[in-house]
Amino acid sequence: MAIPTNSCILVCLLTLTVLQLPTLDSAAPFEVTAPQEPVLALVGSDAELTCRFSPNASSEHMELLWFRQTRSSAVLLYRAGQEQEGQQMTEYRGRATLVTTGLLDGRATLQIRGVRVSDQGEYRCFFKDKNDSEEEAAVHLNVAAVGSEPHISMKVQESGNVELECTSSGWYPEPQVQWKTANGEMLPSTPESRNPDEEGLFTVAASMIIRDSSIKNVSCCIQNNLLGEGKEVEISLPVSFVPRLTPWIVAVAIILLALGFLTIGSIFFTWKLYKERSSLWKKEFGSKERLLEELRCKKTVLHEVDVTLDPDTAHPHLFLYEDSKSVRLEDSRQILPDRPERFDSWPCVLGRETFTSGRHYWEVEVGVRTDWAIGVCRENVMKKGFDPMTPDNGFWAVELYGNEYWALTPLRTPLRLAAPPRRVGVFLDYESGDVSFYNMSDGSLIYTFPSISFSGPLRPFFCLWSCGKKPLTICPTASGPEKITVIANVQDSIALSPLGEGSASGDRDSLHSKLISFSPSQAAV
């Protein structure tokens, strides 16, 4: 039976249509969607951005690209079933990864670890299937951070007003700062300073001035509006920091000012009267008579003692003369018994007298000679070696060395004297812990050591740093014999470093330096 031509054509068309149905289904278009609400993440935490595509076919064999501004800069590229790290942006390597557990369900989740401020912004997820169909959607990431606890610093101005400054760091985005009183009243503040650091986090500083003395407590509140969180700190204003210039305060200030002027006038009048009387006194008594009178009083009050030198303690280069009252350093070295109490390094000698209580006074004639040291020391000071002559080691002395006067403190103290002393008075008050030195030429104070609590016997102490024509002489007491002067032809200012060159014994000692530390500002000896 013959089939009509039209019927044949219709059957062919139907067959073709049926054969094409799988192809049309496989090429059906898909849609990519993303949440409309931004994703919020704290700095340092992890964030997850998710895109979905429909129909819910697997994206396992698709090409997935997460990017920000351009497709060429990949936050993450997923192709052929794995991440392509070689095409990933440097700042996201090791931080951005794909959560693959949702791929079979049509979810592509980008996870960013350790969120930074720079991560904030729009992210786009791009899909392309095996038929080169393309779709993309956008997800927005918001980043936030809550900063450190606020700190309030307080400064009182000359006017009496109180200036407060509130500071905190580590905020994002820029926070809002608000001052308020204890009852919640808002206070005006100066413009705030907000400066981002290298990581983009903001440090804020807001200040205000309190002029109202009735305000006792003020708080600083810093708010992150994006998170709806903030931090607050309160400070109390002491009453003394918010003075009020009441009439009675003004009256007291005027009275105090008037009293101040009266006091200054009284002091000036007293000083003028003193100058006039001093002038009359100077005319009545000569300077020499006045000095002798002062020294006579000091000797009487402070118990003048007759000091003699102890030869058993003298350094071999020290020669004692005339009843052990004078001593001189010479180039030759004596052959003496090596006693434990004898100085073997420093050219020193002690007095025979020991003091364990009371007040004592003696004088030493230093004349015009140079390089000497006198004072007191503990009886048991180290006499062997070069221990520094300081109070820590039991010495309280002053010296002339290198044309400069010094107090032998741990850091040598330079002494500025109006005139060089020819005779030095040594004053010791054992109970009060006082050691003082006076220029007996004019009665002026040379130096007083800080008070100390003595323990154990103290002895007079003498030291010579160079040879000279004139000896160092202990002056006789007021009731004693006149001093004895010994003349010897010894070359003046023979250096002691090293000691003993050309001496009969041939021994060679060296003083080197006096081993006493001094500050850089002091002159080197």
Side-chain angles (χ1 to χ4, degrees):
M1 183 178 67
I3 299 175
T5 304
N6 293 335
S7 298
C8 184
I9 294 174
L10 181 59
V11 171
C12 292
L13 288 175
L14 290 174
T15 303
L16 181 62
T17 300
V18 172
L19 294 176
Q20 290 294 323
L21 284 177
T23 304
L24 292 174
D25 182 69
S26 63
F30 61 90
E31 181 181 4
V32 178
T33 59
Q36 297 299 314
E37 294 295 326
V39 177
L40 180 60
L42 294 178
V43 171
S45 66
D46 295 343
E48 290 189 352
L49 309 178
T50 301
C51 282
R52 291 178 177 274
F53 58 93
S54 61
N56 290 335
S58 172
S59 60
E60 188 176 5
H61 300 291
M62 290 184 177
E63 178 179 315
L64 171 61
L65 172 66
W66 282 94
F67 66 95
R68 301 198 62 176
Q69 280 131 3
T70 62
R71 296 182 183 178
S72 59
S73 300
V75 175
L76 182 138
L77 176 61
Y78 186 83
R79 180 190 294 160
Q82 61 182 1
E83 297 180 13
Q84 306 295 319
E85 295 183 359
Q87 299 186 38
Q88 193 174 28
M89 297 170 63
T90 304
E91 57 266 34
Y92 289 99
R93 289 180 183 173
R95 293 199 310 125
T97 185
L98 184 66
V99 180
T100 58
T101 55
L103 289 179
L104 296 178
D105 298 328
R107 285 181 291 109
T109 300
L110 172 68
Q111 184 182 67
I112 302 177
R113 302 188 185 94
V115 171
R116 306 170 182 171
V117 171
S118 59
D119 293 334
Q120 176 164 291
E122 186 180 75
Y123 291 76
R124 301 191 71 85
C125 56
F126 170 80
F127 285 87
K128 183 169 69 173
D129 63 9
K130 57 185 178 180
N131 297 317
D132 291 333
S133 296
E134 300 178 356
E135 287 293 336
E136 64 181 68
V139 183
H140 196 87
L141 175 63
N142 284 340
V143 177
V146 177
S148 61
E149 291 293 333
H151 172 73
I152 299 179
S153 60
M154 180 167 52
K155 178 181 179 183
V156 180
Q157 298 178 341
E158 295 181 358
S159 62
N161 296 330
V162 178
E163 181 179 356
L164 303 177
E165 184 180 42
C166 179
T167 57
S168 180
S169 60
W171 294 86
Y172 191 85
E174 297 184 32
Q176 180 182 1
V177 183
Q178 182 65 60
W179 295 90
K180 58 183 180 181
T181 61
N183 57 9
E185 180 185 354
M186 299 301 178
L187 297 174
S189 63
T190 59
E192 304 156 15
S193 172
R194 297 181 176 91
N195 299 309
D197 58 17
E198 295 179 354
E199 297 180 358
L201 299 175
F202 286 90
T203 297
V204 295
S207 59
M208 68 168 303
I209 297 177
I210 303 293
R211 296 182 175 87
D212 186 354
S213 60
S214 64
I215 298 177
K216 300 298 184 292
N217 296 303
V218 175
S219 61
C220 172
C221 179
I222 304 180
Q223 184 77 16
N224 186 318
N225 293 328
L226 182 60
L227 293 174
E229 298 181 17
K231 292 189 176 182
E232 183 175 352
V233 66
E234 186 179 58
I235 187 171
S236 298
L237 303 181
V239 177
S240 58
F241 278 3
V242 286
R244 181 182 295 174
L245 295 179
T246 57
W248 69 269
I249 293 180
V250 176
V252 170
I254 294 175
I255 293 173
L256 292 177
L257 187 61
L259 289 176
F261 281 118
L262 289 176
T263 303
I264 294 174
S266 299
I267 294 174
F268 177 77
F269 177 79
T270 304
W271 175 79
K272 185 176 181 181
L273 183 62
Y274 171 78
K275 294 294 289 184
E276 291 176 354
R277 291 185 177 180
S278 297
S279 179
L280 292 175
W281 188 75
K282 287 181 180 179
K283 292 180 181 179
E284 185 176 355
F285 299 97
S287 59
K288 182 176 181 180
E289 288 78 6
R290 185 172 72 258
L291 172 63
L292 293 176
E293 182 64 24
E294 291 177 353
L295 298 183
R296 191 178 299 113
C297 294
K298 291 178 180 177
K299 294 176 184 179
T300 302
V301 174
L302 295 176
H303 307 286
E304 185 177 13
V305 294
D306 186 18
V307 174
T308 56
L309 302 173
D310 183 359
D312 291 339
T313 64
H315 186 278
H317 278 276
L318 292 180
F319 287 74
L320 276 56
Y321 300 92
E322 302 298 340
D323 299 329
S324 297
K325 287 286 188 178
S326 299
V327 60
R328 181 165 56 194
L329 179 69
E330 298 193 5
D331 190 38
S332 59
R333 182 183 180 93
Q334 304 173 88
I335 301 177
L336 299 173
D338 186 15
R339 301 178 182 274
E341 63 269 26
R342 187 182 305 282
F343 287 91
D344 67 349
S345 299
W346 295 130
C348 302
V349 61
L350 302 183
R352 283 195 179 98
E353 292 68 28
T354 59
F355 308 117
T356 58
S357 63
R359 307 169 76 188
H360 311 280
Y361 156 80
W362 64 94
E363 294 180 10
V364 182
E365 185 77 31
V366 296
V368 296
R369 69 165 293 112
T370 60
D371 301 335
W372 48 262
I374 58 177
V376 297
C377 69
R378 294 195 186 98
E379 185 176 40
N380 61 350
V381 294
M382 183 67 66
K383 301 178 180 66
K384 310 299 182 181
F386 292 97
D387 276 5
M389 297 178 188
T390 63
D392 292 340
N393 292 328
F395 293 88
W396 294 268
V398 296
E399 72 168 0
L400 169 62
Y401 190 83
N403 296 322
E404 297 287 343
Y405 293 91
W406 308 86
L408 300 185
T409 53
L411 293 177
R412 298 176 59 202
T413 303
L415 305 176
R416 305 291 181 245
L417 306 183
R422 297 293 179 260
R423 181 181 294 189
V424 177
V426 183
F427 297 85
L428 169 64
D429 188 338
Y430 193 98
E431 282 75 13
S432 299
D434 178 30
V435 179
S436 300
F437 301 86
Y438 286 83
N439 182 349
M440 305 312 293
S441 300
D442 59 9
S444 62
L445 175 67
I446 295 176
Y447 185 75
T448 297
F449 278 89
S451 179
I452 187 173
S453 178
F454 293 119
S455 61
L458 301 179
R459 297 178 67 175
F461 163 75
F462 310 87
C463 197
L464 295 176
W465 303 121
S466 65
C467 304
K469 294 181 180 180
K470 295 292 184 180
L472 197 70
T473 303
I474 302 173
C475 300
T477 60
S479 59
E482 294 296 325
K483 69 176 183 180
I484 300 173
T485 303
V486 179
I487 305 296
N489 294 325
V490 181
Q491 185 178 359
D492 192 21
S493 300
I494 299 177
L496 275 183
S497 183
L499 243 175
E501 291 186 7
S503 62
S505 66
D507 293 341
R508 296 181 180 269
D509 292 343
S510 177
L511 292 178
H512 304 291
S513 66
K514 283 180 285 196
L515 302 181
I516 302 174
S517 59
F518 55 89
S519 60
S521 61
Q522 298 170 343
V525 296

